[in-house]
Amino acid sequence: MYSVKCKSKNTFSTSSLKQHHKSGKKKKMAVKKHQLVRQNQEEVNLTTLVEYIQPIVDKPVFLPPPNELIQSCENVVQCLSRLTGTEQELWKCLRSIEKFLVFVISNVDCKLRNEIITTIIDKFYSYISDPNSNACPATSVVLIVMDAPDPRASLSTARWVIQQSKKSQSDEGLRSALSCLYRWLSESYTLPYLSNWILCFIKVLEENEMFDILIEESVKNIGNLFSVMISPATRKQPVADVILHLLISLRESPEAFDRISKHIGETLESLAADSRQWSRQLLGSLVDILTSMINYNMQSLKGVQLYMFRDKYSYVIKHLERHMVTNDSTVILDPIWKSRNTGGQPAKVDTVTSPKVGLQNLGNTCYINSVMQALFLIHQFSNYTVLKMFEKPYWAKMSALFVTMMHTVAPCIKPTTFVSVAKPDFFVPKQQHDCFEFLGYLFELLKSYENSTITDADFAYNTPVVLNSSRTNVTEGKSGHGKSNEPKVSEKPCTSSQTPESSNSAGPFGLKRHSDADINVTSKRRRFNDSFINNVFAGVFLTRITCIHCGSSSRSRDVCRDLQLAFPEKSGGNQYTIQGLIDFYFSNEILTGENQYQCHDCNILRDAEKCVIIESTPKILIIILKTFKYDTKLRVQTKLMHSVMYNTSVTLPTLRSQTDKNTYNLFAAVIHVGTTMNAGHYYTLGKDNNDWYIFDDSRVKATDETGINRLDRSHTPYMLFYRRTDVVEGSIAAFATLPKQMQQTVMSCNKAHLELRKTTKNRP
């Protein structure tokens, strides 16, 4: 037994770790058990953990047998991974754990010390390498076991961890581990041994030439890490050492520079105001590295792309010009990370993309601007328009608009030409109109000038729409009194852009009825797939109406480019959800009264049950919220001010064959401001490359995905755009891939803007 002489005797074992004896006011002690690791519970009782550890730290103890001691240390790591709270809140507990771990490894022989460290690090790595564990940053306190006996142990331990991970023949664990460590460093910047461990971990990855992992994970996290250096309170030397190493290694990565660019000015100003010597040294190092990054990025750019780069990062260049660059800097001599997958070039060197561009309001044209900003965010749609349809009537004007939005150096552009040809003739100039009505008109206009067959090569995620393998005939039941089988709007909405596809009707014995009009479904399917608009935005809805009296039914298929959701009538005060409105829309409905169904077998009007299901889901789902209601007294379209939770993810009811293509994520919303349909304002909330923006005509500013649920009462989402989860967002077309005609459009626009700006600056 490993022991230390002591005055009192305490035993720290697995059983004592899980059960704690508390003394009461009675003469005999009352025993109460506490479990540190509770099943089906994320939080751990911090008070209990400290009470177990504190006596070991404060007083000499007999150490338990090696096996129990190792198990106890492993349980401590497990407890730490489930802690909650800020670092300040956990500091007392963490100090006790530090003392306990140092005490343990300082009072055992070398062999047992190595076993304890191996066990702790193995358990530690199992949490950080699991992408679903979400371990608490406080877990990193166990890294002190490597610094306590010998600081050089961190490097050898990191080598052991990576060698063990190689046995799995997968890099996913290393990727998750590095990402987790970066997250911890940006959140818990006061633990010096965490920074030391990260540097050792990075150096061992470099030794093993795992540059792809280093580049991808470091670029993803460099923005959050760099922002830590803005405030003197969070700016610590160990963290700065890690960040400088990353910047030097990524100095030829345009994406890394782009991610830190928004923090550079504030960071340099903060460092310049800090009188500490190391802050001055850090400022000089940063200026040298950032200047090197700027120079490298501009080396390969010429003409309009160089103008675009200088314009985009003009504020960064101005901040760097205020500080002295070290002429004899050795930064350019330090090695950089080279990706194996790109032939030795820095990984993911993207072309320079312009900032988000606003669209100038030309006189109550916000209903057009908001729609075009949403469509532009569908990169496959905007790319196809620019690369394939730039010579088609009407498409050409939209191509010119999109390509300018992609690569302009101007913060805002005037969509004069596009508006002049795309605005419906029946829309009164300089008056507010319905943005959904404009979108429907635009789709029909573009669809009529497609005249081409869409292939997989043209559209990356194109999949054929399967209507029905058998040829069926249309027999649609008709309601009495000249009414449609569709229910009233107040009861349940109906979709727009509907085209009957096919249907059949079976009698009581399952025999099919044939109507006089025989529809060729194959021809219908061919016409559906030939339309690029339908291929992106349309789905096939299958409607079945069953006679309650005789059981016969009829089916019809509708090609729908939008889903119009009405609010069910229920007591006020309840909050609606988009998913709830979808479920209400697709719920079974009884057709009765004026909506009775004309049954072909009964040959009279009958009550019937109607159900709708999706046979083929659209790539992009457009949802219209029917928030306007006609007020018979005021004789105006008033606006419903319901409380709605706008789900960022929704699911559609589909056939079994489509269950892997029925989930959607929100990426854009057109917002209506006002209380009536005939007046107000439209703007767009949109997501591009995981970043959310508010596109309000010529003004564009950043926001977050929760913004849609934090709007004022009069700001109501009217059109919601969802992307199917199996559809890749992609990126905008690079300038070099554009047709010459499109390149010329961009260069002409940028030249005019730069000349105008130069003229404006020269004015007295």
Side-chain angles (χ1 to χ4, degrees), residues 95-114:
R95 290 293 297 169
S96 299
I97 294 173
E98 283 182 358
K99 293 179 180 179
F100 164 72
L101 293 174
V102 172
F103 177 82
V104 169
I105 64 175
S106 300
N107 289 277
V108 296
D109 63 13
C110 183
K111 180 179 179 181
L112 182 56
R113 181 188 302 120
N114 290 337

Side-chain angles (χ1 to χ4, degrees), residues 346-484:
K348 210 170 183 179
V349 180
D350 293 338
T351 56
V352 179
T353 58
S354 63
K356 303 308 166 192
V357 179
L359 298 176
Q360 186 173 334
N361 194 316
L362 304 178
N364 287 335
T365 57
C366 59
Y367 67 92
I368 296 179
N369 292 346
S370 57
V371 169
M372 299 315 296
Q373 289 284 15
L375 293 179
F376 178 75
L377 294 175
I378 308 171
H379 289 157
Q380 290 88 346
F381 178 76
S382 51
N383 286 347
Y384 181 85
T385 303
V386 168
L387 300 175
K388 300 288 185 179
M389 307 297 284
F390 61 93
E391 294 180 329
K392 299 284 185 181
Y394 293 98
W395 285 88
K397 302 304 180 184
M398 188 166 66
S399 299
L401 175 65
F402 280 164
V403 78
T404 307
M405 293 172 68
M406 289 178 181
H407 297 288
T408 183
V409 297
C412 175
I413 59 177
K414 294 179 65 174
T416 308
T417 305
F418 174 76
V419 170
S420 64
V421 300
K423 184 178 67 66
D425 293 335
F426 52 88
F427 276 24
V428 180
K430 296 185 179 182
Q431 286 191 12
Q432 185 63 277
H433 294 282
D434 190 336
C435 64
F436 173 52
E437 188 177 359
F438 165 73
L439 178 62
Y441 172 84
L442 178 65
F443 277 166
E444 289 300 322
L445 182 67
L446 296 174
K447 187 170 175 289
S448 63
Y449 285 94
E450 287 186 47
N451 299 325
S452 63
T453 301
I454 308 306
T455 66
D456 289 347
D458 293 331
F459 196 62
Y461 56 72
N462 175 44
T463 54
V465 176
V466 179
L467 293 178
N468 198 326
S469 57
S470 61
R471 288 182 56 167
T472 55
N473 299 326
V474 174
T475 54
E476 296 195 39
K478 297 181 180 179
S479 60
H481 314 292
K483 300 289 184 180
S484 169

Side-chain angles (χ1 to χ4, degrees), residues 135 189 266 333 549:
Y189 35 79
E266 195 174 358
L333 301 178
H549 180 76

Side-chain angles (χ1 to χ4, degrees), residues 440 443-444 447 496-497 533-534 537-538 559-563 622:
F443 277 166
E444 289 300 322
K447 187 170 175 289
S496 66
S497 307
I533 297 294
N534 282 349
F537 299 99
V559 177
C560 304
R561 289 198 297 264
D562 54 76
L563 186 60
I622 301 177

Side-chain angles (χ1 to χ4, degrees), residues 536-608:
V536 180
F537 299 99
V540 179
F541 285 38
L542 176 63
T543 302
R544 182 192 298 273
I545 300 178
T546 304
C547 176
I548 295 178
H549 180 76
C550 69
S552 65
S553 64
S554 65
R555 292 188 302 171
S556 64
R557 288 175 173 82
D558 302 302
V559 177
C560 304
R561 289 198 297 264
D562 54 76
L563 186 60
Q564 299 185 41
L565 302 181
F567 293 90
E569 297 177 359
K570 60 180 181 180
S571 59
N574 295 328
Q575 185 182 56
Y576 298 92
T577 66
I578 300 302
Q579 185 64 61
L581 296 179
I582 291 175
D583 295 340
F584 170 72
Y585 177 89
F586 287 100
S587 62
N588 290 357
E589 179 185 4
I590 300 300
L591 303 180
T592 186
E594 292 184 353
N595 282 338
Q596 274 191 320
Y597 166 68
Q598 179 68 45
C599 178
H600 290 275
D601 287 283
C602 299
N603 202 27
I604 58 173
L605 293 172
R606 293 286 193 185
D607 289 349

